[in-house]
Each structure stands twice: as structure tokens, then as C-alpha cells.
Amino acid sequence: LEQFHARQLRVSPHVLGHSKAHVGRVVAELVRAAKAQGLQPGPLALSLRGDFVRIGSAYEQHKVRSPDCFDILVPLRLPPHLEPRPRCADGLGPRGTFVCGLRARDGRSRRCRPFAEGFCVELQGRSHLSAGLVLRWFQGHLQRCLGAVRYRLQERCRVSLSACPGHSPTLHILPCSDYVCCHISMAVRLIPAIPLGDALYLTALPPQGPPAPEALWSLNASRQEQRLLSWLKEQAPASSCHLKCLQILKGLRDLRGQGLEEPFCSQWGRVLSSYVLKTALFSLLLQGPLEAWDERFLVERLEDLVLYLRDCLRKQVLMDFFLGNTSIPEAVALPRFLKEAAPVNLLAAFDGPTLDLVAFQLISTWIQAPHVIRMYSSPRYLRPAPAP
């Protein structure tokens, strides 16, 4: 396991640092250009707030393999007299989805009519902000602003933007550098986000399963996850292995997926998503003393994590760590909206037989981990990563 982590999973801090620096500079230029361009249409249109929020494994120290994919939240600014009013969308979509109404601060909703006609849809007789319409505007807005950025950055890197209907646009960056380590082509997913305050955001629901209403949003608590990870780093031993456990488990999941046939291969990846693995790790970490996660107990803690996940899959229950959780340490300040939200079961969307089969394969993968690592790490099994 140590060799598997060192040779195949661990990302070079030097290369990761260069990659994050490139991403930060290019995204800052693009956001600045898009914000300036967005001020021209007037106060009744969407615009960019002017900043961006780094999220995901590359910024949480559990990225695996190569620093070539990044996630960035791009906060949007509603017209100055409008405030978002999110509420749970029970019965309209998957558990944990939200709809976003709008409230006029001065009570004069007539002024909001041009904005509502351009960005809202009717749902159950009420007007709600449409994630689909916002995403389409965001994609077109960035595409129009890309020319200025491409011209300013042409000596540093080549940039392009690709967009797939229903998905956040992806910025592709190819640095023009003399350093060999910096010639990594990077894909940056730019995710438009509606700020709710307290570092909480609404983001467009990724398309999955049957078609869902365009008005549905998901809640993004990435900043709260980062606060929790920072708190755990302070409380745990300096040689804590909790992030290494997460990396190894993600690596074993990916290797095992190489030998699975469809449709179970896709189900395996969705059930054991990185968010599910991270949620299980958070829950297990707070159940016992953090001193037990010292580096010398790596195998024991990794086995505990696998068995905890197995039990969750058999019970068909793994609750979201932040929505409605009252047992989070007080040192990790949570917005009131998260504390009062209804709890959400992350496994509710999957049927029992699928979860039982994933639980069986998970235990099998752990028992045969040396064999899985040797067999599926060979070049003929390493499939190219799918295009974003």
C-alpha cells in the first residue's frame, strides 16, 4: 500500500504548486475580463462578483495521480435589489436538491420583471431562478470574454473553453514554459455559483438519471469542508494518515473499476464517489481519538474505513455530513441554513441489490488489494482519462 501510494497516487507538491499557480493566474484574468464585460448590460442582468473560490481535492491535499484537473467556483452577482431565497425541493427532485426563489428588497417586484423573464421559470405556479438558464448565460458570457484573455496570455499559455449542454464549462490550459514539469495540460471546471452568505453557494445540479426541472439547484458546502479539514489537521497528530487513507481508497476504487463491466462499472463509480468516500472519512474520524490515526496505524485505519463503508452500504444509509448534522465540532462554524436543513441520505438514490453488490466488491477489493494493484496497474489496463 505504501509503494502504491508513493509511486502511483502521491502528487508532487512542486508540480502541484506550479499547476495551481498557472490556474490561479489564468482564472483571475478570465474572471476580471468577464466581470468588466458584465457591467455593460445594466443593473437588470447577471454579472460576476469578481472573485473565485478554489475547491476540490487539489486544494484539500488529497489529489491523486496528476494535477491536471481543478474545480473553481465562480460566484455570480444578482441585480442589486434582488435576494436569493432557497428552500428544499422535496418531491421535485432527488433528496438534497433546492429551488431558489427571489425576493425584491424594496418590495417593488415590477422592477425585477426583465430579469425574471430572462432567468426564471415557473414551477408549481411560482417563479424560481433557473439553473439551466443561468448556466447557459454563464457559458456564453465566458466564451465572449475569452478573446481578451487569450491575447493577454498568449506568451504564457494557450487557453480554450469547451462547454457541454447541462455541464459547467471547462477551461483548458496548456502552459508555454521551459520547465518540463510545467508542461501538463490542465482542465479547470468553472462552476457558476449563487452566493447565499456564510461561504455557502447554490450550484447547478449535474444532469443524471431522468430529466429534472431546470429550477433545481444543489447546495455547495466546499468551504465548510475545507474548514473541517483544517481543524482536523490542527487536532490530529502531525503524522496523521487520514488523507493518505482517503487517497489509497480512491486509488483502489479506480483500479477495481478497470476490471468491471458496464453498467456496474458506472454504478460502482457513482456509489463510491469521492464525496461519499470523504463523507465516510469525516464520520469515522469523529467517532474516536484522533491519535489513533498516526501514520504507523495506516493499515488498521484503512481497514476501519473500508468496514465502515461496507456497513453503510449494507444498511443503505450514509448521511450527508453537513446537512442537518448537529454533532459537528463547535470550532467548525456552520451557517444556520446548514444546521436547520433536513438530513440527507447520500445512498437513497441507489437500490438495495446495487448497494449490496458494491459492498461485496469493496470487501473483495480490500482483501485482494495486493493482487488488484499488481494486475490493474499494468499499462494495458490503464485506460485514458475521459474528456471532461
Side-chain angles (χ1 to χ4, degrees):
L1 291 175
E2 289 281 7
Q3 290 180 357
F4 174 53
H5 179 266
R7 294 178 182 177
Q8 298 188 43
L9 300 180
R10 181 179 176 272
V11 177
S12 163
H14 174 78
V15 178
L16 182 60
H18 274 286
S19 300
K20 290 196 290 189
H22 276 299
V23 168
R25 284 194 292 266
V26 174
V27 172
E29 290 276 1
L30 182 58
V31 167
R32 192 180 303 119
K35 181 190 177 185
Q37 188 73 18
L39 295 176
Q40 296 176 9
L44 294 178
L46 276 174
S47 60
L48 270 63
R49 198 170 69 179
D51 60 332
F52 57 93
V53 182
R54 301 166 175 89
I55 64 171
S57 58
Y59 301 100
E60 296 173 358
Q61 283 77 55
H62 56 87
K63 181 77 174 170
V64 295
R65 291 198 169 88
S66 177
D68 54 356
C69 295
F70 298 84
D71 286 338
I72 301 287
L73 284 184
V74 183
L76 306 181
R77 189 191 300 279
L78 294 173
H81 51 277
L82 284 179
E83 290 179 346
R85 282 291 181 265
R87 63 181 178 87
C88 193
D90 285 338
L92 299 174
R95 287 292 305 274
T97 55
F98 294 80
V99 291
C100 182
L102 298 173
R103 185 177 75 88
R105 290 177 185 169
D106 53 12
R108 289 181 289 178
S109 58
R110 186 177 301 175
R111 295 175 58 190
C112 312
R113 192 170 298 165
F115 180 84
E117 291 174 353
F119 293 101
C120 293
V121 292
E122 291 289 329
L123 192 63
Q124 294 184 334
R126 300 173 63 181
S127 180
H128 294 92
L129 188 63
S130 166
L133 293 176
V134 169
L135 187 57
R136 283 195 284 274
W137 170 85
F138 182 73
Q139 292 171 344
H141 188 56
L142 289 187
Q143 195 70 54
R144 288 189 296 271
C145 299
L146 187 61
V149 175
R150 186 182 288 121
Y151 175 76
R152 285 201 291 264
L153 298 174
Q154 60 184 356
E155 293 184 359
R156 184 185 303 163
C157 59
R158 296 196 297 271
V159 295
S160 61
L161 194 70
S162 64
C164 180
H167 294 268
S168 298
T170 300
L171 183 69
H172 300 278
I173 305 173
L174 181 61
C176 304
S177 169
D178 293 334
Y179 296 101
V180 175
C181 68
C182 302
H183 278 288
I184 298 174
S185 176
M186 291 163 282
V188 186
R189 192 164 57 128
L190 300 173
I191 306 169
I194 303 297
L196 301 180
D198 295 318
L200 200 60
Y201 301 91
L202 288 178
T203 57
L205 197 65
Q208 55 187 1
E214 273 201 347
L216 296 185
W217 297 81
S218 60
L219 197 65
N220 189 289
S222 295
R223 294 295 291 163
Q224 284 71 34
E225 294 175 33
Q226 292 172 1
R227 290 172 187 169
L228 178 62
L229 285 167
S230 297
W231 179 82
L232 288 169
K233 185 177 180 180
E234 294 173 359
Q235 302 298 317
S239 58
S240 177
C241 64
H242 62 281
L243 291 180
K244 184 183 286 189
C245 285
L246 181 58
Q247 290 175 309
I248 292 175
L249 190 54
K250 288 199 290 187
L252 290 174
R253 173 203 61 190
D254 295 343
L255 287 187
R256 177 70 269 186
Q258 303 287 352
L260 299 177
E261 299 294 332
E262 293 291 357
F264 181 62
C265 179
S266 297
Q267 294 170 337
W268 167 264
R270 286 198 300 269
V271 172
L272 297 182
S273 67
S274 295
Y275 187 74
V276 164
L277 299 184
K278 188 161 57 172
T279 299
L281 176 67
F282 287 158
S283 303
L284 190 60
L285 276 166
L286 298 185
Q287 287 185 7
L290 292 176
E291 290 75 18
W293 290 83
D294 190 89
E295 180 83 31
R296 64 182 184 275
F297 304 124
L298 172 68
V299 176
E300 291 90 334
R301 297 294 79 80
L302 192 49
E303 184 169 272
D304 288 346
L305 182 55
V306 169
L307 294 177
Y308 179 79
L309 259 175
R310 190 255 337 245
D311 293 342
C312 291
L313 293 167
R314 286 180 174 175
K315 297 173 185 175
Q316 303 178 27
V317 175
L318 177 62
M319 304 308 294
D320 188 280
F321 192 78
F322 292 98
L323 287 170
N325 188 352
T326 58
S327 60
I328 294 179
E330 293 183 2
V332 182
L334 283 190
R336 182 180 174 184
F337 187 85
L338 276 182
K339 293 179 181 177
E340 297 178 353
V344 172
N345 179 11
L346 298 179
L347 302 179
F350 305 99
D351 58 58
T354 297
L355 295 180
D356 287 341
L357 188 54
V358 171
F360 170 78
Q361 283 288 356
L362 179 63
I363 290 298
S364 173
T365 301
W366 172 245
I367 293 172
Q368 303 178 52
H371 171 73
V372 170
I373 292 170
R374 284 195 302 269
M375 181 172 182
Y376 295 108
S377 295
S378 62
R380 69 191 186 96
Y381 278 104
L382 291 178
R383 300 173 184 166

